[in-house]
Amino acid sequence: MTNKKKNQNFDITGERAAAGSTVAFPTGKVLFLSPLPFPTGQPPLDFNGSILEKNETYLDLGTTNSGKIFPAQVMITNIMLVILFFFVFTPFIAGTTAWGNPYDVIWIIDTA
């Protein structure tokens, strides 16, 4: 005896679902958040840009990384420059200015 599952063709455009209802299909579930809105004649508004894509079948809500990449690159560059300055340039400058006078060099300024 074999247990065969029927291949369900899932179409969410064919029927109007009530808010809060779920429909299962082979790879997951669909949760209907609300029914379709009433037409008001006014253009839709999205003040904070949370709607990424909208078509007749679904509404994609979320945020993107658009506009967040450049500030992160600037922050990482600044941190790397500070590290480079303190661990590379500072010892180089300190070594080339002969702190501790390793060669017994004496700079005498004649004021007479």
Side-chain angles (χ1 to χ4, degrees):
M1 183 184 330
T2 60
N3 201 359
K4 293 183 180 179
K5 291 184 177 181
K6 291 182 180 179
N7 187 5
Q8 297 175 351
N9 291 331
F10 181 67
D11 183 20
I12 61 173
T13 60
E15 61 184 43
R16 250 181 109 93
S21 64
T22 59
V23 176
F25 58 97
T27 59
K29 282 191 209 178
V30 172
L31 169 65
F32 293 95
L33 299 174
S34 67
L36 293 175
F38 293 109
T40 61
Q42 298 294 320
L45 297 174
D46 181 22
F47 291 112
N48 59 357
S50 61
I51 298 176
L52 298 179
E53 186 177 351
K54 175 190 174 287
N55 60 26
E56 294 298 323
T57 306
Y58 68 93
L59 176 67
D60 190 8
L61 298 173
T63 58
T64 64
N65 288 333
S66 175
K68 298 176 185 176
I69 296 170
F70 181 70
Q73 289 174 340
V74 169
M75 182 181 68
I76 291 170
T77 302
N78 288 339
I79 292 170
M80 294 303 289
L81 286 175
V82 167
I83 290 171
L84 184 72
F85 178 76
F86 281 113
F87 291 109
V88 175
F89 292 133
T90 303
F92 179 74
I93 292 171
T96 57
T97 56
W99 283 357
N101 202 4
Y103 302 111
D104 291 331
V105 177
I106 299 173
W107 299 94
I108 299 174
I109 299 174
D110 189 12
T111 58

